[in-house]
Amino acid sequence: AMAFLRYAQYINENGKLMGIDLLRYYPYGFTGLQEFSFLSYFIFYFYKFLNIFSNIFTLELVDILYPPIAFAVSLIFFFLLVKKLFDDNTALLATAFLAFVPSYLFRTLTGISDKESFATIFLFAAFYFYVSSWITKDNGKAILFGILSGVTTALTNLIWGGGVFIFLAIGLFAVIEILLNKFSKKEFYGYSSWIFS
């Protein structure tokens, strides 16, 4: 988790992320920084944004504070997803359970600035927008929600390797819908706009 702070500090000092991290895999260095770049730049730009309002925010403080902020935003998308699938009470109960799951709390607590807390925002958003695409009756809205789902799927995969679960879940769902002969033209538009975006 300290790597993201170090990368954000490097961006702050040099304007961009290094090509090779020489502090990892000595003597050759680590070249796979693509997986770390999106979150590192997010922390840096979040720091710049918060400094517009007050200069009390240091890069270290922003790195510490972003996981609980991401936790709160991810709970909103999770609530909206479950509400779209069930009802308000079920969504509230499910969100309360998620908010106290120890493994989820560990990944989203203050001071643990790792990928998962940020990626779950987009993970839940991708499912929410895809379900919205599937439920809507309008072809235009199905395409719009499919595009939003595709963009949030891409953002999840930019941050975290676990984003492949979105492809597995939505792909399996589409196959089941096709086998049950419930895959209409609207679902095709939503699915196509998701996969292409």
Side-chain angles (χ1 to χ4, degrees):
M2 293 298 292
F4 292 103
L5 174 59
R6 190 164 58 82
Y7 294 152
Q9 288 171 334
Y10 189 89
I11 293 167
N12 191 33
E13 294 167 4
N14 299 294
K16 65 177 185 170
L17 192 60
M18 75 275 283
I20 298 174
D21 183 2
L22 296 174
L23 295 179
R24 294 175 68 178
Y25 304 141
Y26 180 81
Y28 303 108
F30 178 68
T31 57
L33 292 175
Q34 303 85 355
E35 183 180 349
F36 299 94
S37 65
F38 187 77
L39 182 55
S40 302
Y41 277 104
F42 169 77
I43 293 170
F44 169 71
Y45 284 117
F46 192 43
Y47 157 71
K48 289 291 190 185
F49 173 74
L50 290 176
N51 268 305
I52 294 170
F53 304 105
S54 175
N55 59 1
I56 65 161
F57 293 101
T58 63
L59 191 56
E60 292 80 10
L61 180 61
V62 171
D63 182 66
I64 289 169
L65 290 179
Y66 111 81
I69 294 168
F71 171 73
V73 176
S74 68
L75 288 181
I76 292 168
F77 276 111
F78 182 77
F79 174 82
L80 293 172
L81 171 64
V82 177
K83 180 181 174 183
K84 184 75 74 175
L85 291 170
F86 299 102
D87 60 22
D88 289 350
N89 293 332
T90 306
L92 195 58
L93 184 63
T95 305
F97 274 118
L98 179 65
F100 292 101
V101 171
S103 58
Y104 190 63
L105 275 175
F106 172 75
R107 298 283 186 204
T108 57
L109 288 174
T110 301
I112 308 294
S113 64
D114 212 348
K115 303 177 220 177
E116 288 84 2
S117 58
F118 193 45
T120 54
I121 294 172
F122 300 112
L123 176 85
F124 294 142
F127 286 133
Y128 169 73
F129 289 128
Y130 190 80
V131 167
S132 297
S133 170
W134 178 58
I135 289 176
T136 188
K137 304 288 186 216
D138 185 275
N139 287 343
K141 286 183 181 178
I143 292 170
L144 175 67
F145 285 131
I147 291 170
L148 289 172
S149 180
V151 169
T152 51
T153 300
L155 289 172
T156 306
N157 283 288
L158 277 175
I159 300 165
W160 179 50
V164 298
F165 291 119
I166 300 171
F167 290 107
L168 293 172
I170 293 176
L172 181 63
F173 174 75
V175 167
I176 291 170
E177 288 289 298
I178 290 169
L179 292 174
L180 295 175
N181 202 22
K182 292 184 176 183
F183 204 75
S184 69
K185 189 186 292 187
K186 179 195 58 86
E187 279 84 21
F188 175 75
Y189 291 150
Y191 183 82
S192 298
S193 60
W194 166 71
I195 199 73
F196 287 123
S197 62

